[in-house]
Amino acid sequence: MAMQRPLCKWRLYFGPHPVIVIFLLYFFNIVAGQIRYSIPEEMKKGSLIGNVAQDLGLDVKRLRSGRARIVTGENNQYAELKTDKGILVVKEKIDREQLCGDVTPCSFSFEIILENPMELHHITIEVLDVNDHPPVFKTSDIMLEISESANLGARFALDNAEDPDVGENGLQNYVLTSNDNFVLKQHVNPDGSKYAEMVLQKQLDREEAPNLSLKLIAVDGGNPQRSGTVNINILVLDVNDNAPVFNQSVYKGTVIENATKGTNIVTVNATDADSGSNGYITYSISNLKSNIADLLSIDRISGVLSVSGLIDFEKDKKFELRIDAKDQGGLTDSSKVIIEVSDVNDNAPSISVMSFTSPVSEDSPPGTTIGIINVKDLDSGDNGQVSCRIEQNAPFKIKSNLRNYYTLVTDTVLDRESASEYNITVVATDAGIPPLATQRTFHLKVSDVNDNAPVFSQSLYSAFIIENNSPGISVLTVMAKDPDEKQNARISYILEDTKIGGSPVSHSVSVNAESGVIHAVRSFDYEQIKELTFVVKAQDGGSPPLSSNVTVKILIQDQNDNPPQVLYPVQTGGSLVAELVPRSADVGYLVTKVVAVDVDSGQNAWLSYKLQKATDRALFEVGSQNGEIRTIRQVTDKDAVKQRLTVIVEDNGQPSRSATVVVNVAVADSFPEVLSEFTDFTHDKEYNDNLTFYLVLALAVVSFLFITCVVVIISVKIYRWRQSRVLYHSNLPVIPYYPPRYSDTLGTGTLQHVYNYEVCRTTDSRKSDCKFGRAGSQNVLIMDPSSTGTMQRIQSEKSILDEPDSPLEVS
């Protein structure tokens, strides 16, 4: 339905919704508007109230971007804003009688606030009454005692009915059931309420009818119409012909709110011309509303009206009531009492938060709005005048915008690293005497901005790691700190893309992005790489991210992981290398020199030589530092031709590592003397090996006789076949190459002699002759254990020094 109201400069809209009145104003850079809607009470939840976006001329997107919301100082919120559609709907069912009582028109108001820029729109919703309540009498029966001598025209006040509805839906009239003695007369109070009186139109006759029963019906004007009924029981009394009379038709009084119980307000007085019991008057409050009955009471004898409950100016500013004076004969008179309530400063200001933004960014400029508050004081006059201020020295200030609204803004630039949060206390004080104050504390957090780069605790990180480490082992931890917080302080560690030994640094080390722990990706070898130098970047999670770099140096320490390597004499698989020592050799004769190297470094590469085993330990010794094998006594004819020396080469590491080399020495003046000895030596070795093999087979025969017999037969056949093959097949001996004039690490000199051997063989002889050329006093004999030819020792025409790639010449 549409309604028109005589309001100046309001625009009226007629359509499917109630009347909408809009006006806009600009005050302190804040846009304000006002809309009024009318809706019936008892609407269902979710029912449409109005299209607020259309009525305010706003776009629906503006409602969402401005975080539009309803703010109200009341506890109940009856309307809800649908920002996605721009409409107002009913949030909860509205009971007009509960909301406003008998006040008309009934309405409630709230504000719609939008931000960036700030807009404030006042919305008033008028709630229209529906006929949902019938008239109700306080009691179901009214008892009246009326003298039979009551004069015609005597009036008898009746209890009035209460209907919470208003307007047409409220109480309209009373109806009295038909009778011969009384007619009903209705009256209207100044406040608009109606009450009824019975007027005597025919004299009562107690002897004819001592009791009368009537019904009073109260009817409202709603559709459908509702009604309430009360029974009137009349007891006819004997003669009392004078009714009480008040000395004033209207009594007036004043009471301050919060007056103590028992405080006298006003005294009413009535007189009765009758005497005796017919002139005894009692006082009572008639037509007393339920809300007044708890606040006021009257002394039945004295007529003193006093306070019986807590009177609140903010609820009731004035009371109007009727006092009845009644004598013992049942005659009554009534008078009106008007009581004015005086306000006292008993309400402190109330602070309601309309909007508060927390956290606020630390880079917000001065003047940034962080909150909007509404301050109200229910008192009136000076008691309701309020001023606001901020306690303590804080970088904020409060500004008054319009009506009772205040804006809380920043006064300076904020720095989260200096103060990450504030407690802002707003104090509201009224102008009463004494003044009352209310304070409210706002907890404001300052959000971080990525304005600080990570900082490493050291300018250079260094660490040591032993070679042959396990892949994945942690080496060291780099650490950076960022004074920012949350994502802006979340540091990630990243390897800068560099090369180490031609390979990406990620092939050697890795860094944990969160903890900064640097791990070795692979096992390092000191002999290949001595140190790693790379750059680690610490980058925070801000946008844009900030970073800083630090240099990391990892030094690889050597480990004794390489045994010594014997360069000379070379150990061959099939041939024997023998050093020839003449029987005329003197003490200190240099037999040969063991040459070894160690690829480790430092003490791990320091080598020492020891003689572990020897055929005759009294004949030879080994230099502990240079590896030279020398005679320690004169060689005699009793010394065995075959001499076998086992030399251990050991480094100085912890634990030490070693290598063993076997040196064969022939004590003889010519090769033919020793040829057969070394051949037998080879065959003895084969014999010892075969003997061990047969012993193992013999042990197996105990459990597996049959299998063992077969194996023995096959083994004998194989052995005989191999012996026949040895007689006709052999390979030329190989002389290992030894670097000429090799210089040892201690600077003791070089080997001074070089030999060439020429080997001559026949295929049908089991003896071999060897001829050789001799230079100096040192010789090397190289023999093949399977050789069956004749060897001759000849003097080589070309030196091995001249042909290093061909140390052996065969003809």
Side-chain angles (χ1 to χ4, degrees):
M1 67 180 173
M3 298 187 298
Q4 297 184 4
R5 301 183 184 273
L7 297 177
C8 183
K9 297 184 180 179
W10 284 25
R11 298 174 58 190
L12 304 180
Y13 293 81
F14 296 88
H17 302 295
V19 172
I20 302 171
V21 183
I22 300 177
F23 70 89
L24 297 178
L25 58 87
Y26 295 88
F27 183 74
F28 289 100
N29 296 325
I30 296 180
V31 179
Q34 180 169 323
I35 307 176
R36 185 179 184 91
Y37 294 103
S38 295
I39 62 171
E41 66 173 330
E42 305 293 339
M43 290 181 68
K44 292 183 179 179
K45 183 178 179 180
S47 300
L48 176 65
I49 297 176
N51 192 327
V52 71
Q54 178 180 342
D55 299 334
L56 289 174
L58 298 175
D59 187 66
V60 175
K61 295 180 179 178
R62 167 62 181 138
L63 294 178
R64 290 195 295 266
S65 64
R67 295 170 55 194
R69 58 197 177 278
I70 292 175
V71 293
T72 175
E74 304 296 333
N75 294 329
N76 295 329
Q77 185 171 323
Y78 298 102
E80 182 180 7
L81 177 62
K82 300 288 187 180
T83 56
D84 55 339
K85 299 180 181 179
I87 61 175
L88 278 175
V89 298
V90 176
K91 184 176 182 181
E92 63 181 69
K93 186 179 291 186
I94 304 172
D95 186 356
R96 192 206 65 81
E97 288 72 27
Q98 180 181 358
L99 179 64
C100 299
D102 57 358
V103 177
T104 183
C106 175
S107 64
F108 62 93
S109 300
F110 54 86
E111 281 78 21
I112 295 179
I113 290 183
L114 291 84
E115 298 179 359
N116 300 320
M118 179 178 156
E119 294 183 36
L120 179 67
H121 301 282
H122 185 80
I123 309 296
T124 300
I125 297 180
E126 180 181 359
V127 181
L128 303 178
D129 184 51
V130 297
N131 190 25
D132 55 346
H133 295 88
V136 177
F137 290 93
K138 290 190 290 293
T139 61
S140 60
D141 297 281
I142 298 175
M143 299 298 297
L144 295 178
E145 295 178 351
I146 304 175
S147 174
E148 64 176 335
S149 62
N151 298 325
L152 296 180
R155 296 176 300 168
F156 302 92
L158 302 176
D159 291 347
N160 64 330
E162 292 183 0
D163 191 341
D165 296 325
V166 296
E168 294 294 327
N169 297 324
L171 178 64
Q172 297 298 315
N173 55 60
Y174 294 92
V175 177
L176 185 66
T177 55
S178 60
N179 63 92
D180 297 329
N181 301 98
F182 297 94
V183 293
L184 192 66
K185 186 175 183 180
Q186 301 184 48
H187 302 277
V188 179
N189 288 318
D191 60 355
S193 61
K194 297 180 180 181
Y195 68 97
E197 292 179 335
M198 286 193 312
V199 180
L200 184 62
Q201 66 174 359
K202 182 181 177 181
Q203 194 74 40
L204 296 175
D205 187 357
R206 180 181 174 278
E207 287 71 22
E208 181 179 346
N211 295 289
L212 295 177
S213 294
L214 304 176
K215 287 185 180 296
L216 179 64
I217 303 173
V219 182
D220 65 18
N223 186 14
Q225 194 176 58
R226 295 175 180 267
S227 63
T229 303
V230 64
N231 295 321
I232 302 175
N233 298 314
I234 302 173
L235 176 63
V236 181
L237 302 178
D238 207 8
V239 180
N240 180 25
D241 55 353
N242 290 289
V245 177
F246 281 98
N247 56 5
Q248 291 179 221
S249 60
V250 177
Y251 291 87
K252 292 184 179 181
T254 302
V255 63
I256 61 171
E257 66 172 327
N258 302 324
T260 59
K261 291 184 179 180
T263 301
N264 295 336
I265 302 174
V266 68
T267 301
V268 297
N269 184 40
T271 59
D272 193 320
D274 294 325
S275 61
S277 61
N278 290 332
Y280 184 76
I281 300 173
T282 58
Y283 300 93
S284 63
I285 303 175
S286 65
N287 299 329
L288 190 61
K289 294 184 178 180
S290 57
N291 64 320
I292 301 177
D294 298 331
L295 304 179
L296 302 174
S297 63
I298 191 170
D299 187 279
R300 292 176 53 84
I301 306 301
S302 63
V304 175
L305 190 65
S306 61
V307 176
S308 61
L310 181 63
I311 297 177
D312 188 357
F313 175 83
E314 287 68 41
K315 293 183 179 179
D316 300 292
K317 296 179 175 57
K318 183 173 68 171
F319 297 104
E320 291 188 8
L321 59 154
R322 299 186 65 82
I323 305 297
D324 289 338
K326 182 178 180 181
D327 62 18
Q328 296 301 306
L331 299 181
T332 62
D333 191 15
S334 62
S335 178
K336 180 187 294 185
V337 177
I338 299 176
I339 301 173
E340 299 286 345
V341 180
S342 300
D343 184 37
V344 296
N345 191 25
D346 61 339
N347 291 283
S350 63
I351 301 175
S352 301
V353 181
M354 302 294 101
S355 173
F356 184 71
T357 302
S358 179
V360 63
S361 177
E362 64 176 321
D363 62 348
S364 299
T368 300
T369 299
I370 61 174
I372 301 172
I373 61 175
N374 176 254
V375 181
K376 293 181 180 178
D377 194 317
L378 297 179
D379 294 322
S380 61
D382 291 340
N383 295 332
Q385 297 297 319
V386 180
S387 61
C388 287
R389 60 184 174 84
I390 296 178
E391 279 192 341
Q392 70 258 78
N393 186 18
F396 305 96
K397 62 182 179 180
I398 191 166
K399 298 192 302 183
S400 176
N401 288 332
L402 55 101
R403 291 199 296 266
N404 295 321
Y405 286 89
Y406 296 85
T407 303
L408 192 62
V409 298
T410 59
D411 196 27
T412 61
V413 176
L414 305 177
D415 183 12
R416 190 204 66 82
E417 286 70 36
S418 299
S420 61
E421 57 186 31
Y422 295 91
N423 286 324
I424 308 170
T425 301
V426 177
V427 180
T429 307
D430 62 24
I433 299 176
L436 299 179
T438 300
Q439 66 179 26
R440 182 157 185 173
T441 301
F442 298 88
H443 185 69
L444 176 68
K445 293 185 177 181
V446 182
S447 62
D448 187 44
V449 173
N450 192 26
D451 53 353
N452 293 281
V455 177
F456 283 97
S457 58
Q458 299 176 216
S459 58
L460 174 67
Y461 287 87
S462 60
F464 295 89
I465 185 173
I466 299 176
E467 67 170 333
N468 302 318
N469 57 283
S470 300
I473 189 173
S474 61
V475 182
L476 77 159
T477 301
V478 296
M479 182 175 294
K481 293 184 178 180
D482 194 319
D484 295 322
E485 68 171 0
K486 294 182 180 178
Q487 190 66 23
N488 295 330
R490 184 175 182 178
I491 299 175
S492 298
Y493 299 93
I494 305 169
L495 280 176
E496 286 292 275
D497 190 13
T498 57
K499 298 285 186 179
I500 295 180
S503 300
V505 66
S506 59
H507 291 181
S508 300
V509 294
S510 66
V511 61
N512 188 294
E514 294 185 358
S515 64
V517 178
I518 297 177
H519 298 270
V521 174
R522 62 181 178 87
S523 180
F524 298 114
D525 188 356
Y526 176 83
E527 287 71 38
Q528 295 181 1
I529 186 170
K530 302 295 187 297
E531 68 176 39
L532 303 172
T533 301
F534 53 92
V535 176
V536 174
K537 179 172 70 174
Q539 179 176 289
D540 61 28
S543 179
L546 301 178
S547 63
S548 60
N549 295 340
V550 70
T551 300
V552 180
K553 181 180 290 186
I554 299 177
L555 302 177
I556 301 173
Q557 295 180 325
D558 184 41
Q559 190 181 44
N560 191 25
D561 58 339
N562 292 286
Q565 298 179 3
V566 179
L567 301 180
Y568 185 85
V570 179
Q571 303 294 297
T572 60
S575 299
L576 294 176
V577 179
E579 304 292 340
L580 188 61
V581 177
R583 293 188 180 275
S584 59
D586 295 330
V587 176
Y589 178 83
L590 178 62
V591 179
T592 186
K593 182 175 181 178
V594 177
V595 180
V597 294
D598 194 320
V599 296
D600 292 323
S601 64
Q603 292 186 356
N604 297 330
W606 295 356
L607 302 180
S608 60
Y609 302 85
K610 297 179 182 179
L611 182 61
Q612 183 184 32
K613 292 191 302 183
T615 304
D616 187 354
R617 298 185 69 91
L619 183 57
F620 301 100
E621 68 174 359
V622 178
S624 62
Q625 301 299 324
N626 55 20
E628 293 180 348
I629 301 177
R630 294 179 182 272
T631 60
I632 57 177
R633 65 175 174 80
Q634 180 70 40
V635 179
T636 64
D637 293 337
K638 295 180 180 181
D639 292 326
V641 176
K642 295 185 294 181
Q643 296 286 336
R644 183 183 178 92
L645 308 178
T646 302
V647 179
I648 293 179
V649 183
E650 188 176 33
D651 60 26
N652 198 35
Q654 292 296 331
S656 62
R657 303 178 70 106
S658 62
T660 303
V661 61
V662 177
V663 180
N664 294 308
V665 179
V667 180
D669 292 328
S670 62
F671 280 109
E673 293 182 43
V674 299
L675 185 59
S676 61
E677 293 292 338
F678 276 92
T679 304
D680 293 340
F681 174 81
T682 304
H683 287 294
D684 289 343
K685 183 176 183 301
E686 284 187 351
Y687 175 77
N688 291 334
D689 293 340
N690 290 333
L691 181 59
T692 302
F693 174 72
Y694 289 129
L695 287 175
V696 174
L697 292 179
L699 293 175
V701 168
V702 177
S703 301
F704 305 98
L705 182 61
F706 176 77
I707 297 175
T708 304
C709 292
V710 175
V711 173
V712 170
I713 295 173
I714 295 174
S715 299
V716 171
K717 289 182 176 291
I718 292 175
Y719 176 76
R720 291 178 179 176
W721 177 77
R722 288 180 62 188
Q723 291 295 327
S724 63
R725 297 288 294 176
V726 168
L727 297 176
Y728 295 98
H729 294 83
S730 63
N731 296 322
L732 291 175
V734 178
I735 301 176
Y737 170 67
Y738 179 75
R741 294 179 176 86
Y742 183 86
S743 177
D744 63 6
T745 59
L746 299 176
T748 58
T750 62
L751 294 177
Q752 302 174 357
H753 307 287
V754 180
Y755 302 93
N756 288 342
Y757 301 96
E758 182 176 352
V759 180
C760 301
R761 304 178 63 250
T762 62
T763 60
D764 56 351
S765 175
R766 297 191 62 181
K767 297 292 184 179
S768 298
D769 294 329
C770 180
K771 61 180 181 178
F772 61 94
R774 180 171 180 176
S777 61
Q778 189 173 10
N779 301 280
V780 179
L781 177 63
I782 302 174
M783 305 187 67
D784 191 329
S786 62
S787 174
T788 58
T790 302
M791 301 180 62
Q792 297 180 352
R793 186 175 65 181
I794 64 173
Q795 177 69 37
S796 175
E797 296 179 356
K798 294 184 69 178
S799 172
I800 293 178
L801 292 172
D802 298 332
E803 295 184 7
D805 296 333
S806 301
L808 181 64
E809 180 179 350
V810 180
S811 62

